[in-house]
Amino acid sequence: MIATTLSSALRRQRLASSLIRRDMGFAKTPIKAGNGVRPQRGQNVTVHCTGYGKNGDLNVKFWSTRDPGQEPFTFAVGMGQVIKGWDESVIEMSIGERARIHCTPDYAYGTGGFPAWGIQPNSELIFDIEVLSYS
């Protein structure tokens, strides 16, 4: 009985995993609410961010603005200066909001990956993003 239950659970997990990989986009999990004011396309947005997914492991960090010597990151939202998962998720976030963003490969670094940071081609990535300001 235990072996059958475990086997069924593994099959469901593999099926769910394969469905995630076929879907395009990102999933946002709120961590902390913001002030409700969202940026406009083209505004500079400053964020703290930690990225996970080094060498295909979503528990391994590859970069963080919170690390010693690092600074918050600023970009023009909705203008294609960052990966699609950031552009489409951050434009829906308000000042002070913090969320976990799970990006499919096409909304991350795609078929090329980002080898310098240990991001393999076609990797799913997770980002912990906190919006600090807009200008």
Side-chain angles (χ1 to χ4, degrees):
M1 176 75 170
I2 292 175
T4 303
T5 303
L6 181 58
S7 178
S8 296
L10 287 173
R11 279 195 299 270
R12 283 193 303 274
Q13 183 180 17
R14 286 185 185 133
L15 176 61
S17 177
S18 68
L19 291 175
I20 289 171
R21 287 189 189 95
R22 276 184 283 197
D23 292 341
M24 293 175 41
F26 67 91
K28 177 182 163 189
T29 304
I31 296 171
K32 182 180 93 173
N35 69 0
V37 179
R38 294 181 178 175
Q40 299 295 311
R41 184 176 186 271
Q43 274 189 295
N44 284 326
V45 179
T46 300
V47 300
H48 261 311
C49 178
T50 302
Y52 299 90
K54 185 173 185 173
N55 298 320
D57 186 340
L58 292 175
N59 295 306
V60 178
K61 175 178 73 172
F62 60 82
W63 171 72
S64 180
T65 61
R66 296 179 185 273
D67 285 345
Q70 296 295 312
E71 306 248 340
F73 184 75
T74 300
F75 64 98
V77 72
M79 304 300 289
Q81 293 181 349
V82 292
I83 61 172
K84 196 170 185 176
W86 277 40
D87 255 351
E88 292 190 14
S89 63
V90 172
I91 202 161
E92 295 178 359
M93 295 174 69
S94 62
I95 295 173
E97 184 174 351
R98 187 172 181 176
R100 189 170 176 93
I101 310 298
H102 187 148
C103 298
T104 57
D106 53 309
Y107 271 59
Y109 292 99
T111 58
F114 197 120
W117 284 357
I119 300 170
Q120 299 173 355
N122 297 312
S123 290
E124 292 182 20
L125 299 175
I126 294 176
F127 296 95
D128 177 337
I129 298 176
E130 180 181 12
V131 176
L132 303 175
S133 65
Y134 305 141
S135 60

